[in-house]
Amino acid sequence: MKKLRSIISNGLLVILMSLCSCESWINVTPSDRLSEDMLFKDREGFVKALNGVYIELNTTQLYGLDLTAGALDAMGQYYTNFSSSSHAFHQYIKLIFTETNEKTLFDNMWKKCYLVIANCNTIIEKCGKKNDNLPEPYFSMIKGEALALRGMLHFDMLRLFGPIPSELSKESIPYQTTSKQQMSSLLPGTEALELVIKDLKDALDLLKMSDPYLVENKNVYDDTDVNLRQFRMNYYAVKALLARVYLWGGDRTLAYATAIEILKAVRDSGTELFPFVTNAAATSSSTPDRVFSTEVLFGCYNSSRGTIHETLFAPTLETAKILTFAGTLNSGRVEELYDDKNDYRYKIWATYNNNGNSVLYHRKYEDFEDNSGTRTYRYMVPLIRLSEVYLIAAECCDDLDEAVGYLNTLRNARNCFSVYPTVDGLKNYIALEYRKEMLGEGQMFFFYKRKEIVNIPDGTQASGTKNVELNKYVVPLPDSETSQRTNTDTSK
């Protein structure tokens, strides 16, 4: 049996040292470490340990850049590379992952991801089946969130490094369920997916009893736990992730049923949860909510989010660094993607005169001043959003009228006109909505891979498509893993 050596180290977790205000855990850089004996002696220690995991999600190697707006978004074929091999994302746009820079990025991503998974495992192990240092409902909430995070991280590694869905039985990734340094087998993708589903289902069972969204008595929680649930793996975020996982595995029936359960719960429960963004918020000239934060089921709180804009999208960047669409504001890819100029998503695009050159750029993560200090969406990077639930329902529904209804509910919420496509037309509209919704969020590469689409929009040009070989959707396992497998005596 082929095995690989886990890259984790046992014992210590990255943690936050202060919880003195309702947002302190999302404002502190994780730099201090405590021994496990000190960390897990009381409820506060468990909370700090889990908060440390959430902060680690914001690192550049994960959702702070590479797995969202950076490499993954470039791989989603949004952007032009000016036909220049000097562009920082030239190889990613071409889906070439064998050069030194690209191999290093994915190697660092892999290592960071499994390190964070190890931290999740330590929390899960310390929780056990019951822990006197961690009373309910915190026991169920903390263990549930840790299980969900472990499932999410493994799933993203499976989507990236694993086989295309039609070949899911092929060897994929290790599924790490212990914090101990040990050998872990590469699993078939089907088995890895089953373990993701198990973790998410176990998490839902725990969160159903403890999530502040669901429990009646919220007085047992601190303000942080109740008021910042969108920045934590809450019950509805886990359920939406489960629908995403079912769809990846080709189970349209369960994906549809799960999506409908979410929509009924958040829309028909009497108290609307995750309401659609308002016109005033989406189009505000001073404090625009361009991520439509009220609808985000789960996202990272990244106090340095503005650096994403400055690093990748600012119009003052050199052409070899900026990520932008081919064409202009009124032609090319912008014109092709946005069929209604009243669309809130269209309004994230602007032009800037940079030394006489008109530069097209998008402002999704552009920073703004918030004198009130209450607009947490200023620092939000969406990872799971309600619009995806509508799109999953539309894709998996067998009734065309019902499916189109889900599509138009989303479009109308974006200030777009309704459409009435055929079955084939619906598929095209769903793809367009994904492209508009997920810009800057790293999901389009996964969409194309899941659908195994071999002819996709060629972002390097103002129009047209490009052919993609299916093997281009599989990122090779990092050298740090393949070399360990090669050097391991597999006969033992």
Side-chain angles (χ1 to χ4, degrees):
M1 178 182 292
K2 290 185 179 180
K3 296 185 177 181
L4 63 109
R5 184 174 303 278
S6 66
I7 59 174
I8 64 174
S9 60
N10 184 29
L12 299 180
L13 287 168
V14 177
I15 58 93
L16 300 179
M17 296 303 295
S18 174
L19 293 172
C20 56
S21 71
C22 72
E23 291 188 21
S24 60
W25 70 271
I26 48 183
N27 288 327
V28 180
T29 300
S31 58
D32 297 292
R33 295 172 180 264
L34 292 179
S35 71
E36 290 180 22
D37 290 340
M38 295 174 60
L39 191 61
F40 297 106
K41 67 180 181 180
D42 54 26
R43 186 195 79 184
E44 183 179 2
F46 277 92
V47 172
K48 286 180 178 179
L50 185 58
N51 289 347
V53 170
Y54 283 109
I55 293 298
E56 285 291 287
L57 297 182
N58 282 313
T59 53
T60 298
Q61 298 92 336
L62 297 179
Y63 305 102
L65 188 67
D66 294 337
L67 269 171
T68 51
L72 260 291
D73 227 36
M75 291 158 58
Q77 307 305 307
Y78 280 113
Y79 307 113
T80 180
N81 63 356
F82 306 97
S83 300
S84 169
S85 60
S86 64
H87 193 283
F89 287 90
H90 178 75
Q91 298 291 66
Y92 298 100
I93 292 171
K94 293 175 64 177
L95 300 181
I96 295 175
F97 313 123
T98 54
E99 301 299 322
T100 300
N101 289 340
E102 290 71 39
K103 291 172 69 174
T104 299
L105 182 142
F106 289 118
D107 192 89
N108 291 336
M109 179 188 294
W110 177 275
K111 290 176 180 177
K112 173 60 75 172
C113 184
Y114 277 94
L115 175 62
V116 177
I117 287 171
N119 289 349
C120 290
N121 286 331
T122 298
I123 295 171
I124 293 166
E125 291 166 1
K126 292 298 180 180
C127 284
K129 294 184 178 180
K130 182 180 179 181
N131 193 302
D132 293 334
N133 294 329
L134 186 61
E136 290 286 11
Y138 278 89
F139 171 84
S140 294
M141 186 168 70
I142 288 174
K143 187 172 183 179
E145 290 182 27
L147 282 166
L149 289 167
R150 182 173 79 181
M152 180 187 75
L153 289 164
H154 277 111
F155 181 55
D156 278 348
M157 293 299 97
L158 175 64
R159 290 199 292 175
L160 187 60
F161 296 98
I164 57 177
S166 65
E167 300 177 350
L168 205 55
S169 60
K170 289 184 176 181
E171 195 175 67
S172 63
I173 63 167
Y175 206 93
Q176 193 68 37
T177 58
T178 176
S179 64
K180 296 178 180 179
Q181 185 176 7
Q182 64 174 36
M183 306 292 291
S184 298
S185 301
L186 288 179
L187 298 178
T190 49
E191 292 185 24
L193 200 68
E194 288 173 0
L195 290 172
V196 171
I197 292 171
K198 182 182 185 304
D199 272 349
L200 297 184
K201 284 184 172 181
D202 289 346
L204 287 173
D205 288 341
L206 291 165
L207 291 170
K208 190 174 184 178
M209 301 183 294
S210 59
D211 195 307
Y213 278 131
L214 300 175
V215 299
E216 293 184 4
N217 181 17
K218 295 180 174 57
N219 294 327
V220 296
Y221 294 105
D222 294 333
D223 288 342
T224 301
D225 307 317
V226 177
N227 297 330
L228 297 173
R229 291 304 292 167
Q230 288 175 285
F231 295 111
R232 307 182 77 91
M233 283 297 282
N234 62 76
Y235 178 86
Y236 296 109
V238 178
K239 207 169 186 69
L241 179 58
L242 183 59
R244 182 190 285 178
V245 172
Y246 282 141
L247 194 54
W248 189 267
D251 196 329
R252 289 166 48 89
T253 301
L254 280 178
Y256 170 74
T258 305
I260 295 305
E261 288 175 5
I262 297 168
L263 295 180
K264 287 182 177 179
V266 304
R267 288 289 180 260
D268 302 334
S269 60
T271 302
E272 186 179 40
L273 297 173
F274 310 103
F276 284 122
V277 68
T278 64
N279 180 288
T283 61
S284 170
S285 60
S286 57
T287 56
D289 183 1
R290 297 190 179 109
V291 298
F292 311 149
S293 64
T294 55
E295 311 167 28
V296 174
L297 302 180
F298 173 58
C300 290
Y301 187 104
N302 188 342
S303 58
S304 299
R305 193 190 76 172
T307 61
I308 296 177
H309 177 79
E310 296 302 321
T311 301
L312 301 177
F313 309 116
T316 52
L317 288 169
E318 301 173 11
T319 57
K321 294 182 179 180
I322 189 173
L323 290 176
T324 186
F325 274 17
T328 68
L329 188 61
N330 297 310
S331 66
R333 288 299 173 185
V334 172
E335 177 72 17
E336 172 257 345
L337 185 56
Y338 301 93
D339 57 354
D340 189 334
K341 296 304 185 290
N342 294 310
D343 192 330
Y344 298 148
R345 296 165 296 190
Y346 169 75
K347 298 182 185 303
I348 72 169
W349 289 94
T351 56
Y352 177 83
N353 188 316
N354 187 12
N355 296 322
N357 296 317
S358 181
V359 179
L360 175 69
Y361 73 108
H362 81 72
R363 302 173 292 171
K364 190 167 190 174
Y365 296 132
E366 188 176 46
D367 200 12
F368 57 84
E369 292 296 326
D370 176 24
N371 295 326
S372 70
T374 60
R375 296 176 177 85
T376 54
Y377 59 80
R378 178 185 182 186
Y379 304 121
M380 178 180 277
V381 176
L383 299 185
I384 306 172
R385 48 171 69 251
L386 189 63
S387 57
E388 183 180 356
V389 179
Y390 277 98
L391 293 174
I392 290 173
E395 180 178 344
C396 298
C397 181
D398 292 329
D399 183 276
L400 179 60
D401 290 339
E402 181 184 344
V404 171
Y406 296 128
L407 174 71
N408 282 330
T409 297
L410 173 58
R411 285 180 58 87
N412 296 162
R414 296 292 178 260
N415 204 31
C416 296
F417 55 75
S418 295
V419 294
Y420 301 96
T422 63
V423 172
D424 289 336
L426 176 63
K427 295 177 183 178
N428 294 331
Y429 271 110
I430 289 173
L432 287 171
E433 294 303 315
Y434 264 99
R435 287 173 63 197
K436 288 182 278 190
E437 282 293 297
M438 307 303 179
L439 179 66
E441 298 177 20
Q443 294 297 327
M444 277 314 298
F445 174 79
F446 294 137
F447 177 84
Y448 294 137
K449 182 173 181 176
R450 173 173 67 82
K451 303 286 284 184
E452 299 183 9
I453 301 176
V454 296
N455 189 260
I456 61 178
D458 183 358
T460 66
Q461 307 296 325
S463 63
T465 60
K466 64 187 293 185
N467 293 325
V468 177
E469 298 175 5
L470 288 179
N471 62 7
K472 293 284 189 179
Y473 287 122
V474 181
V475 178
L477 286 176
D479 286 346
S480 61
E481 290 302 324
T482 57
S483 62
Q484 289 185 64
R485 292 204 308 275
T486 301
N487 294 330
T488 298
D489 184 357
T490 59
S491 65
K492 295 181 179 181

